[in-house]
Amino acid sequence: MSEGRVVKCYVVETSPAVPWQLEGICEDGRYIYVRERGGVLRVKLSRLASELYRSNPVLVREVGSAYEEAEVLDIIERELGRELRIIGEAWGE
């Protein structure tokens, strides 16, 4: 984890399907993309939105197929110093 305070990131769920996917922006101006597929968590960070999907993951962890959302959020906070605040769903009203 990085030294100093935890950086808050405001994200929306961008996939209603079982593979979990979140996208958003952090207070430090970085964009964040979180994806779980096949029990593997991947997190990407980028200074430019246009580079986010092409960038390499900053975190890759096996979380299994029966992960709990709170566990994944704890991993991201502990490993990256990022607190994710889910503020909505991209397909919602």
Side-chain angles (χ1 to χ4, degrees):
M1 181 176 116
S2 59
E3 294 297 321
R5 69 179 182 90
V6 172
V7 176
K8 290 181 181 70
C9 300
Y10 302 92
V11 298
V12 295
E13 291 188 65
T14 54
S15 174
V18 170
W20 199 38
Q21 188 170 295
L22 306 168
E23 299 177 48
I25 190 162
C26 302
E27 288 182 333
D28 64 358
R30 294 179 117 193
Y31 292 89
I32 188 166
Y33 175 70
V34 178
R35 180 177 109 168
E36 179 279 323
R37 297 280 192 282
V40 178
L41 170 70
R42 287 181 175 79
V43 180
K44 294 181 176 188
L45 290 169
S46 178
R47 295 221 179 268
L48 298 173
S50 61
E51 294 177 352
L52 187 58
Y53 305 104
R54 294 185 306 226
S55 65
N56 291 323
V58 294
L59 177 66
V60 177
R61 287 284 183 277
E62 293 280 335
V63 292
S65 59
Y67 69 88
E68 294 289 329
E69 184 178 298
E71 293 173 306
V72 173
L73 297 176
D74 285 345
I75 290 169
I76 294 169
E77 185 172 338
R78 187 174 59 249
E79 297 290 324
L80 298 177
R82 307 258 162 190
E83 178 187 329
L84 300 188
R85 296 203 174 173
I86 301 170
I87 59 172
E89 301 168 336
W91 61 92
E93 295 179 32

